[in-house]
Amino acid sequence: MTVVSPLEGFEMDDIITTTDNNLVNPEYTTIPETADVGEVTVSVGDESIARVENNKIVPLKAGTTTVTITADNGVSKTVKLKVKQAPKELYADNLEVEIGETKTIHVYTDVPDPDTDNDNSLYEFENTDNSVCAVNVKGEVTGILVGTSKVKITNSSGLETTTVSYTHLRAHETDSYLV
């Protein structure tokens, strides 16, 4: 038999989302965990940044506001909501590596973001020619054979770009680079 306790409070982290998210469901835990919550209402502080639809947050534009969840008994919790502008373009620099050398692909968007710039864990990398170079999940390219390979890069919103990786011999192995 589960003992139901009166609700004393909520635990909820600040929320960070982007303008391309359709609905954000605020996640919280009750204090105590076995508390009877009843009906919970979600509200936002600035409805020009986000609005609430069926107790879910709809991001509208970049900015910072608050989200408050309130139970039937009046217990509430307010956290910060940060809505970031979603990128519309994805870019990556072409890369030249020597055989045996490893370099990281620089991926960036049309919306600079110090929190996510240079964070290759946000992208998936798909190499077209694994005989020329190896590409790992961090976007690190290691040259294997002389040649050219394309790397398709995709983010979680489905934006894509392609970069080209050129692998060549080291200059000391020949009189000049071979591409």
Side-chain angles (χ1 to χ4, degrees):
M1 179 174 164
T2 302
V3 176
V4 178
S5 307
L7 179 66
E8 296 172 18
F10 294 102
E11 287 184 8
M12 186 166 74
D13 294 328
D14 288 344
I15 301 168
I16 299 174
T17 189
T18 59
T19 54
D20 64 345
N21 282 340
N22 293 329
L23 295 173
V24 178
N25 192 18
E27 295 181 13
Y28 58 86
T29 55
T30 59
I31 302 170
E33 289 185 14
T34 59
D36 178 17
V37 180
E39 180 93 12
V40 174
T41 304
V42 178
S43 60
V44 294
D46 184 343
E47 291 188 342
S48 72
I49 294 173
R51 64 179 161 70
V52 176
E53 209 173 87
N54 298 320
N55 270 352
K56 295 189 175 156
I57 302 163
V58 181
L60 300 174
K61 71 176 187 179
T64 302
T65 186
T66 57
V67 170
T68 302
I69 56 172
T70 306
D72 283 343
N73 69 356
V75 173
S76 66
K77 172 76 175 186
T78 300
V79 296
K80 183 169 80 172
L81 169 66
K82 183 174 185 178
V83 179
K84 297 180 179 185
Q85 179 63 44
K88 294 181 180 11
E89 296 287 334
L90 190 62
Y91 308 99
D93 295 334
N94 289 337
L95 199 60
E96 288 189 28
V97 294
E98 297 176 349
I99 293 175
E101 178 184 33
T102 300
K103 290 184 180 177
T104 303
I105 297 171
H106 176 227
V107 183
Y108 50 100
T109 69
D110 58 330
V111 181
D113 184 346
D115 294 332
T116 59
D117 286 349
N118 299 315
D119 184 356
N120 279 359
S121 69
L122 301 173
Y123 307 105
E124 291 184 14
F125 300 89
E126 184 181 332
N127 189 11
T128 60
D129 192 342
N130 292 319
S131 68
V132 172
C133 63
V135 181
N136 67 18
V137 296
K138 297 177 185 176
E140 297 170 335
V141 178
T142 302
I144 298 172
L145 292 174
V146 173
T148 303
S149 181
K150 291 183 179 180
V151 179
K152 180 175 136 186
I153 304 160
T154 310
N155 75 358
S156 61
S157 299
L159 293 178
E160 292 182 2
T161 191
T162 302
T163 186
V164 178
S165 174
Y166 304 97
T167 302
H168 51 76
L169 294 175
R170 290 180 177 88
H172 71 275
E173 294 172 351
T174 65
D175 288 335
S176 61
Y177 286 112
L178 296 176
V179 179

